């Protein structure tokens, strides 16, 4: 391998690359033969006891395609997923580790009789007349304003149309679900499990564009005001208002949590709570405590916060209790800690959202933090 390429790979793996270096590496890896060299380099220099297989390459390509298809990752993130995919492939699609403890691959996972499945694209759409339409794989829906193929719903543009009054739809995502909606102004929204969004069927150019995240988590890619006669875009949650200036960001406001998180990926937003207003820059997150109404701004690892829209969970120093809350929503299960001392143990890990929950539980068990787990229908007990 060329020494200059090797330097580029090392700098990438240690997160020291600048944009030009990442572009060079991406260009080099556009050749399938070089992709294999990249994977072999990781094996030789990082995981020397493991063999690279065609399966690893398949997983890597799958994640690249997912990233490009969602159009959310910059060059660094696309390349990052190649490396992550190699690790994921080597570890039966999962790796999880506690602090400095690295867990070996799972050789066998006990068979547990249950009907737990990973989440999928599904939602219920409440129309302006109060009727409800179920959306999901294999189904379709079409109205005068919108159409759905069962995996997403797209609303028609509002150009040259001026509605006499604003009518609203509600998109509700159950536990074990996710869904994508493209609003009439071109704004794109990814909704996570157990979420509900209220939005106009049509916006009026030149007037305020406003939606409400009633609860749950959503990622917004907002169509800029310059395309809509300067009309601002606002998002309401229970205790905050977000003024958008053409940007991408994630909002997490679940009903069973006392904290609301707004994470900015790019652009600029103003977060308002009571009489307090905070401006966010990229890679910053506002944190609002519902009980005290305090609001603070902190630097954040954006990748871990938005990984869910790319089919992954990324946990960086997250307590097991918080991880289990995320998993419970996606797999639509109840998780009980028989031993409460497990709840605050921190983990780092990258998991596929397509992963069987038994695989994840078995890996957690190997950390010796839990002794065992029991699955009874849709309830999981950590022992």
């Amino acid at each position: 391998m060329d020494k200059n390429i090797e330097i580029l790979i090392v700098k990438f793996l240690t997160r020291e690359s600048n944009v030009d270096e990442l572009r060079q590496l991406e260009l080099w890896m556009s050749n399938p033969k070089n992709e294999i060299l990249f994977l072999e380099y990781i094996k030789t220099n990082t995981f020397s006891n493991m063999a690279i297989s065609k399966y690893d390459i398949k997983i890597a390509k799958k994640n690249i395609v997912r990233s490009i298809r969602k159009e959310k990752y910059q060059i660094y993130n696309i390349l990052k997923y190649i490396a992550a995919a190699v690790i994921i492939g080597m570890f039966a699609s999962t790796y999880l580790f506690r602090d400095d403890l690295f867990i070996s691959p799972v050789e066998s996972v006990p068979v547990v009789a249950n009907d737990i499945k990973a989440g999928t694209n599904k939602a219920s759409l409440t129309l302006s007349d109060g009727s409800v339409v179920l959306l999901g794989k294999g189904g379709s829906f079409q109205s005068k304003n919108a159409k759905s193929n069962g995996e997403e719903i797209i609303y028609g543009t509002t150009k040259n149309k001026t509605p006499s009054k604003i009518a609203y739809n509600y998109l509700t995502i159950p536990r074990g679900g996710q869904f994508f909606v493209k609003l009439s102004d071109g704004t794109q929204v990814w909704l996570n499990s157990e979420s509900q969004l209220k939005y106009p069927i049509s916006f009026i150019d030149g007037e305020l564009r406003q939606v409400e995240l009633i609860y749950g988590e959503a990622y917004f890619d907002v169509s800029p005001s310059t395309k809509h006669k300067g009309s601002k875009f606002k998002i309401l949650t229970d205790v905050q208002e977000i003024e958008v200036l053409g940007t991408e960001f994630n909002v997490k406001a679940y009903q069973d949590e006392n904290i609301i998180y707004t994470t900015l990926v790019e652009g600029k937003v103003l977060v308002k709570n009571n009489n307090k207003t905070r401006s966010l820059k990229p890679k910053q997150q506002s944190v609002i405590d519902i009980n005290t109404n305090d609001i603070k701004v902190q630097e954040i690892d954006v990748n871990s916060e938005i990984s869910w829209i790319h089919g992954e969970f990324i946990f960086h120093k997250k307590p097991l209790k918080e991880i289990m809350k995320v998993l419970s929503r996606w797999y639509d299960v109840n998780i009980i800690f028989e031993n409460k001392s497990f709840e605050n143990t921190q983990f780092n890990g990258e998991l596929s959202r397509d992963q069987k929950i038994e695989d994840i539980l078995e890996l957690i068990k190997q950390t010796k933090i839990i002794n065992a787990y029991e699955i009874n229908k849709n309830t999981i007990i950590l022992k």
Side-chain angles (χ1 to χ4, degrees):
M1 180 183 294
D2 184 87
K3 189 66 177 177
N4 290 332
I5 294 298
E6 185 175 350
I7 292 172
L8 289 176
I9 293 175
V10 171
K11 293 186 74 172
F12 161 68
L13 293 174
T14 56
R15 297 193 176 194
E16 297 176 354
S17 306
N18 59 39
V19 174
D20 289 337
E21 289 167 337
L22 290 171
R23 288 196 178 109
Q24 292 178 49
L25 185 56
E26 182 191 34
L27 180 62
W28 178 77
M29 290 187 64
S30 62
N31 185 325
K33 292 182 180 179
N34 291 339
E35 180 181 285
I36 295 173
L37 289 176
F38 177 82
L39 299 175
E40 289 179 341
Y41 182 87
I42 293 178
K43 186 253 326 192
T44 303
N45 294 276
T46 312
F47 305 103
S48 57
N49 62 327
M50 300 177 187
I52 293 293
S53 68
K54 291 182 179 179
Y55 177 73
D56 301 325
I57 298 171
K58 180 179 178 182
I59 292 294
K61 288 182 176 179
K62 177 182 177 183
N63 281 294
I64 297 170
V65 170
R66 177 189 290 133
S67 297
I68 295 173
R69 183 176 162 194
K70 293 296 184 182
E71 299 179 347
K72 292 293 108 194
Y73 276 177
Q74 302 297 326
I75 296 170
Y76 173 81
N77 296 309
I78 293 174
L79 290 172
K80 172 184 175 294
Y81 261 76
I82 298 170
V86 176
I87 301 171
I88 291 170
M90 289 175 177
F91 284 78
S93 299
T94 306
Y95 72 90
L96 186 67
F97 46 95
R98 177 193 173 197
D99 297 331
D100 297 327
L101 180 63
F102 199 78
I103 305 305
S104 301
V106 178
E107 296 183 0
S108 63
V109 176
V111 177
V112 183
N114 67 80
D115 296 323
I116 298 173
K117 292 181 174 59
T120 186
N121 295 312
K122 57 184 176 181
S124 62
L125 175 67
T126 304
L127 302 175
S128 57
D129 63 2
S131 59
V132 178
V133 179
L134 297 181
L135 306 175
K137 186 176 181 180
S140 62
F141 166 77
Q142 186 161 356
S143 68
K144 182 175 66 175
N145 305 98
K147 61 180 179 180
S148 173
N149 60 4
E151 297 184 358
E152 59 184 15
I153 183 166
I154 310 295
Y155 284 79
T157 61
T158 57
K159 288 188 176 181
N160 302 321
K161 297 179 183 179
T162 303
S164 57
K165 65 177 182 177
I166 295 181
Y168 292 90
N169 280 180
Y170 292 77
L171 194 62
T172 305
I173 318 303
R175 286 165 64 94
Q178 63 181 8
F179 218 75
F180 170 82
V181 55
K182 185 174 183 179
L183 304 180
S184 63
D185 67 337
T187 292
Q188 301 178 78
V189 187
W190 286 259
L191 286 160
N192 206 349
S193 304
E194 203 171 9
S195 302
Q196 186 177 74
L197 183 72
K198 175 186 177 182
Y199 53 91
I201 296 172
S202 298
F203 293 99
I204 300 175
D205 272 357
E207 296 187 11
L208 175 66
R209 296 172 291 154
Q210 183 169 290
V211 303
E212 183 177 355
L213 181 61
I214 297 176
Y215 57 84
E217 183 172 19
Y219 184 94
F220 293 86
D221 183 354
V222 177
S223 180
S225 59
T226 53
K227 294 184 178 181
H228 307 283
K229 298 181 181 179
S231 59
K232 295 181 179 180
F233 194 101
K234 287 188 177 181
I235 299 167
L236 304 180
T237 68
D238 187 32
V239 299
Q240 76 173 0
E241 174 186 304
I242 302 171
E243 182 177 333
V244 182
L245 307 172
T247 190
E248 298 180 28
F249 59 98
N250 193 80
V251 182
K252 185 177 180 182
Y254 279 105
Q255 291 176 306
D256 59 351
E257 296 183 6
N258 294 323
I259 305 295
I260 296 178
Y261 302 93
T262 301
T263 306
L264 184 60
V265 178
E266 62 179 58
K268 182 180 180 181
V269 298
L270 298 177
V271 179
K272 301 177 182 179
N273 176 36
N274 289 337
N275 297 321
K276 302 173 184 176
T277 301
R278 296 289 185 273
S279 175
L280 295 186
K281 298 177 182 179
K283 299 182 181 180
Q284 288 187 335
Q285 179 184 75
S286 66
V287 181
I288 295 178
D289 188 318
I290 295 176
N291 295 324
T292 63
N293 279 325
D294 287 339
I295 178 171
K296 66 178 181 178
V297 175
Q298 61 188 18
E299 300 294 322
I300 195 71
D301 176 12
V302 169
N303 293 326
S304 64
E305 295 296 313
I306 69 169
S307 61
W308 64 271
I309 72 169
H310 303 287
E312 307 292 339
F313 300 114
I314 299 180
F315 301 118
H316 287 166
K317 295 183 179 179
K318 295 292 185 182
L320 184 58
K321 181 179 180 180
E322 188 172 331
I323 292 174
M324 288 301 143
K325 187 173 289 187
V326 172
L327 297 180
S328 69
R329 293 188 184 115
W330 181 238
Y331 291 94
D332 190 15
V333 295
N334 300 314
I335 300 179
I336 300 172
F337 284 85
E338 189 171 87
N339 187 333
K340 298 294 183 180
S341 65
F342 300 156
E343 294 184 345
N344 295 319
T345 304
Q346 292 187 342
F347 287 88
N348 297 308
E350 301 195 12
L351 314 170
S352 168
R353 278 164 71 96
D354 296 330
Q355 190 77 15
K356 290 183 178 179
I357 198 165
E358 295 94 323
D359 296 344
I360 297 173
L361 294 172
E362 189 64 20
L363 282 166
I364 293 173
K365 178 183 172 184
Q366 286 196 18
T367 66
K368 308 299 182 182
I369 296 304
I370 64 171
N371 301 316
Y373 61 88
E374 177 184 334
I375 300 178
N376 185 3
K377 295 184 179 179
N378 71 330
T379 297
I380 297 171
I381 302 174
L382 303 181
K383 302 181 176 182

